[in-house]
Amino acid sequence: MKDNINILNVIKIAGAFIAFIIGSGFATGQEIMQFFTSNGLYSLVSILISLILFVYFGSTIISSGFDYGKYEKYSPYKYFCGDKVGLFYEYFVPVLLFISVVVMISGAGATLQEYYNLNYYVGCAMMTILVLIAFICGLNGLVNIIGFIGPVIVIFSLLVGFIILFENLDGLKNISQAMTEVNLTKAGGNCIKSGVLYTSYNMVSGLFFFTALANSANNKEEAKLGATVGSLLLMIVILVMNFALLSKIKNIYKLSIPTLYFAKSISPLLGKIFSVILLCGIFSTAAPNFWTVCNKISKQGRYNEKIVALIISMGAFLGGLFPFEKLVSKVYPLTGILGILLFICIFFKQISKKII
């Protein structure tokens, strides 16, 4: 029957949902440490807030994508925010995503250089070629690829997180004292703001992709379940990794890649495997971001999508050769604020639909 839910398809959608959000920042542990761990035991509040927001807004966005995404003129930003605000989002978000692709390409070059002594430029070129190939494979091919990568990263992260946590349970006894002795960067401020901003900056940049992702569902319930399962798995991983980080906070708070430290401490082989997982995390964010930018430009009309993709990939590769950290540090916090505005628009849009 048409309304039957295909569990494998739900897992694929959930995997693609997770993979979009999990990038190099998540895989290295930096994102988790700055948004959640930096608040100590109050990080539980941040995680709960993020879980609720991801489930509600993720399922809402993907449901609307299933209902209207098949229409060529459908704009998710205009649908939720109106013509003027929606138009601003339509032009701002692709710029943000292009910057993200640039940063991911740069991160891939640095990772391959550090772990495999590969020339930095070669590493950047390899990631650029991979995201270009993923675009050429089309949306369904991309969803199949990153839909597989997402669960792999989840399984690996849970494995490492649980091992470290069970080996260092005593480290959780004096967390309050330990947090006063370390200096952690707080990406979102207090526990409430952190939970909201982490979700908002991920969702605002993912609206185009999540809308398109709905097309891979057989029915609306399947799409909503995929987003819900993806949200739950994502936050379970964050919960486990957060407590693993807290249990060793004095050892890892100065490290750039704390998860690599964890993997190496368990086994040198696991450390090597982690470097591959890290690259998969970079790719799983870069590829859908790249697809969104190319799709947005090529849909404007008279442009061949493959030529657009080639030009954008060349621009991203050249951009990846330069340090973009300062630009990103300015853009990402702004994105979080714009994400909160988007949440308000979506919430009132849903209320207005129920009233009408």
Side-chain angles (χ1 to χ4, degrees):
M1 291 178 64
K2 187 177 179 181
D3 291 331
N4 284 349
I5 293 176
N6 185 322
I7 298 301
L8 291 178
N9 207 35
V10 169
I11 293 172
K12 184 178 74 174
I13 293 170
F17 185 91
I18 295 168
F20 181 90
I21 296 168
I22 294 177
S24 58
F26 184 101
T28 59
Q30 276 298 320
E31 227 173 50
I32 298 173
M33 192 156 63
Q34 291 185 29
F35 276 97
F36 300 102
T37 310
S38 60
N39 287 305
L41 292 176
Y42 287 105
S43 57
L44 282 171
V45 177
S46 304
I47 291 170
L48 180 60
I49 290 171
S50 285
L51 173 61
I52 293 169
L53 293 177
F54 268 122
V55 170
Y56 176 75
F57 290 105
S59 59
T60 299
I61 290 167
I62 207 166
S63 293
S64 298
F66 183 84
D67 287 336
Y68 305 109
K70 54 183 173 289
Y71 299 111
E72 188 174 340
K73 292 185 178 180
Y74 173 69
S75 164
Y77 292 103
K78 288 183 179 180
Y79 173 77
F80 288 116
C81 304
D83 289 342
K84 292 182 179 179
V85 176
L87 185 63
F88 167 75
Y89 275 116
E90 280 197 0
Y91 284 98
F92 172 79
V93 171
V95 173
L96 168 71
L97 295 181
F98 176 77
I99 293 170
S100 174
V101 173
V102 167
V103 173
M104 293 297 151
I105 288 172
S106 176
T111 301
L112 287 167
Q113 183 181 47
E114 181 174 347
Y115 300 136
Y116 299 100
N117 295 318
L118 196 66
N119 183 281
Y120 174 79
Y121 304 109
V122 173
C124 290
M126 287 175 63
M127 183 57 67
T128 303
I129 292 169
L130 284 174
V131 297
L132 182 59
I133 291 172
F135 176 81
I136 293 172
C137 288
L139 179 62
N140 288 334
L142 176 59
V143 171
N144 287 333
I145 294 168
I146 68 170
F148 170 77
I149 290 175
V152 170
I153 297 175
V154 166
I155 292 169
F156 181 87
S157 299
L158 286 175
L159 174 66
V160 172
F162 272 123
I163 292 173
I164 293 298
L165 183 57
F166 285 128
E167 286 182 349
N168 299 278
L169 286 174
D170 289 343
L172 296 175
K173 291 180 179 178
N174 300 304
I175 289 298
S176 298
Q177 176 62 32
M179 293 303 295
T180 62
E181 300 173 9
V182 299
N183 183 25
L184 286 176
T185 301
K186 289 191 174 186
N190 63 41
C191 60
I192 296 174
K193 287 171 62 179
S194 293
V196 173
L197 286 175
Y198 180 73
T199 315
S200 65
Y201 98 81
N202 276 302
M203 295 305 289
V204 72
S205 59
L207 201 60
F208 278 127
F209 182 72
F210 295 146
T211 297
L213 181 60
N215 293 327
S216 62
N218 296 313
N219 52 68
K220 189 193 289 190
E221 291 306 312
E222 196 172 273
K224 289 174 66 175
L225 189 57
T228 301
V229 171
S231 300
L232 287 169
L233 287 175
L234 174 71
M235 298 317 298
I236 288 171
V237 174
I238 288 177
L239 178 68
V240 173
M241 289 302 298
N242 174 61
F243 275 103
L245 289 164
L246 284 172
S247 71
K248 298 275 288 182
I249 193 65
K250 290 185 179 180
N251 301 86
I252 52 88
Y253 77 98
K254 289 183 178 180
L255 300 178
S256 299
I257 312 178
T259 47
L260 176 62
Y261 169 82
F262 286 164
K264 283 183 175 178
S265 68
I266 297 170
S267 162
L269 176 61
L270 204 56
K272 288 292 183 182
I273 295 173
F274 171 79
S275 65
V276 177
I277 297 294
L278 177 57
L279 288 169
C280 288
I282 292 172
F283 172 80
S284 71
T285 295
N289 284 356
F290 182 80
W291 177 88
T292 302
V293 175
C294 295
N295 187 59
K296 174 63 180 172
I297 295 174
S298 61
K299 281 180 72 173
Q300 297 299 314
R302 300 176 298 276
Y303 308 107
N304 182 285
E305 61 178 16
K306 291 180 181 177
I307 293 175
V308 168
L310 182 61
I311 293 171
I312 292 175
S313 66
M314 291 171 63
F317 170 74
L318 292 174
L321 306 182
F322 296 93
F324 269 71
E325 289 84 356
K326 290 184 179 179
L327 179 59
V328 174
S329 68
K330 300 293 183 183
V331 173
Y332 277 18
L334 174 61
T335 307
I337 295 170
L338 290 174
I340 294 173
L341 174 60
L342 176 65
F343 282 177
I344 294 171
C345 291
I346 293 174
F347 182 71
F348 280 106
K349 178 70 175 181
Q350 292 304 103
I351 289 178
S352 67
K353 284 173 62 179
K354 290 179 180 179
I355 292 175
I356 295 172

